Structure formats: structure tokens, C-alpha cells
């Protein structure tokens, strides 16, 4: 069964995943550890990898049960249909997050509009269109996954 994508209220991703698990819905909210800077201290916090998104596996007749969680706004749509994420793509994300090695993505100085094939990291073998290049980061569009990546220069 493929995964569908829920759009949540801001900062509700982990709460929605907990609530859906309690309701018996199979869901996945990938998280990463990030160092958060406050004016007086730094702290490691666990944050969702994708803001506003939680992945769920539900049958057609159980589709509306996810709205029992007050943090769920709607399903995400792509090209007029429910956005679908394949099991292999979820597994790639899980393997990357569980991996011991530090994955990095090398992006050579390309021009805006060029299509590249990513050869390292969680999105290996996916094509991406370069949308923006600045002094500090690149913005890539992964059309096959329906997402935009903002990556710092290495």
C-alpha cells in the first residue's frame, strides 16, 4: 500500500503522528536533530524533516479517520490527485536518517534551469531542476517527488 501525505497545522507534525498512532493509523513523521540557537543558549531539538507533512497508509474507506486528529488540515494533492509516495521512497528516507555515515550532496556550479541527476544522499538517482543559486545555498526542484530542496553549499 502506498503512502499518502497529510498537511498539518504549523508545528503539529509530531503531535499528529502520535495521535494517529494512538488511533491505529500507520503513519510516519521523519525527524532530524537540529541545533537551535536562542539569544542565551544553544540546544539540540528534534524537528520534522518536512514541515507540515506527515505520511500515512490508510485504505480508501478509512481515509477520513485521519481528521480525528485536530492538527490535520487536509490531504496533499499533486496534479489533481492525492499525493502518493512509494514505499521505496519512504524506505530511502528511513535508511538515510538511520544511517551512521554523514551523507552529503555535492552540487557543482550549474546554471539555473539545468536538470541534474543527484548521485549522493537520500535522493540518489532522482532528477532535479536547479531553481536558484545564491552565495550560500542551492534550491532544487524534485518534480518526481513534488518537493523543493534548499541545500547549503558545502
Amino acid at each position: 500500500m502506498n503512502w499518502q501525505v497529510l498537511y498539518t497545522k504549523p508545528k503539529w507534525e509530531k503531535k499528529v503522528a502520535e495521535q494517529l498512532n494512538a488511533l491505529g493509523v500507520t503513519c510516519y513523521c521523519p525527524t532530524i536533530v537540529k541545533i537551535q540557537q536562542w539569544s542565551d543558549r544553544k540546544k539540540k531539538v528534534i524537528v520534522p524533516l518536512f514541515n507540515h507533512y506527515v505520511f500515512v497508509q490508510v485504505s480508501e474507506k478509512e481515509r477520513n479517520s485521519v481528521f480525528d486528529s485536530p492538527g490535520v488540515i487536509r490531504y496533499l494533492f499533486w496534479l489533481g490527485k492525492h499525493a502518493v509516495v512509494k514505499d521505496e521512497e519512504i524506505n530511502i528516507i528511513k535508511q538515510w536518517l538511520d544511517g551512521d555515515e554523514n551523507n552529503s550532496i555535492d552540487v557543482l556550479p550549474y546554471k539555473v534551469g539545468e536538470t541534474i541527476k543527484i548521485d549522493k544522499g537520500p535522493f540518489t538517482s532522482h532528477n532535479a531542476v536547479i531553481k536558484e543559486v545564491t552565495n550560500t545555498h542551492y534550491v532544487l526542484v524534485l518534480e518526481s517527488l513534488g518537493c523543493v530542496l534548499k541545500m547549503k553549499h558545502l
Side-chain angles (χ1 to χ4, degrees):
M1 185 183 305
N2 285 328
W3 295 81
Q4 295 180 353
V5 185
L6 294 177
Y7 188 81
T8 68
K9 291 180 180 178
K11 310 289 185 193
W12 273 69
E13 301 88 349
K14 294 190 297 184
K15 289 181 231 171
V16 165
E18 289 173 8
Q19 292 168 351
L20 292 177
N21 278 327
L23 293 171
V25 175
T26 304
C27 64
Y28 178 56
C29 178
T31 58
I32 58 172
V33 177
K34 182 178 177 182
I35 297 176
Q36 187 72 36
Q37 174 75 46
W38 283 275
S39 61
D40 61 338
R41 67 190 185 285
K42 289 183 182 181
K43 184 178 179 182
K44 288 184 181 180
V45 293
I46 299 173
V47 297
L49 180 61
F50 303 108
N51 291 331
H52 296 283
Y53 296 148
V54 173
F55 304 101
V56 294
Q57 277 185 322
V58 290
S59 65
E60 188 70 33
K61 67 179 185 177
E62 297 172 329
R63 184 173 284 170
N64 289 334
S65 66
V66 299
F67 295 108
D68 291 339
S69 171
V72 175
I73 295 176
R74 62 180 169 82
Y75 279 96
L76 185 69
F77 285 84
W78 178 251
L79 300 176
K81 298 179 183 177
H82 284 276
V84 174
V85 179
K86 297 175 187 168
D87 276 332
E88 69 182 48
E89 293 169 334
I90 294 291
N91 290 334
I92 288 170
I93 294 169
K94 287 180 179 180
Q95 288 172 2
W96 179 63
L97 292 175
D98 293 339
D100 293 333
E101 63 185 52
N102 290 330
N103 291 311
S104 64
I105 299 175
D106 293 330
V107 180
L108 302 174
Y110 291 107
K111 295 179 183 174
V112 172
E114 285 186 301
T115 301
I116 61 168
K117 188 165 191 160
I118 299 175
D119 62 356
K120 291 183 184 177
F123 302 105
T124 301
S125 76
H126 281 86
N127 289 330
V129 177
I130 300 170
K131 195 73 171 174
E132 180 182 336
V133 179
T134 69
N135 291 336
T136 59
H137 68 272
Y138 296 96
V139 176
L140 304 176
V141 177
L142 292 165
E143 291 179 356
S144 65
L145 298 178
C147 66
V148 176
L149 295 177
K150 183 176 181 180
M151 300 168 24
K152 291 183 181 179
H153 288 267
L154 297 176

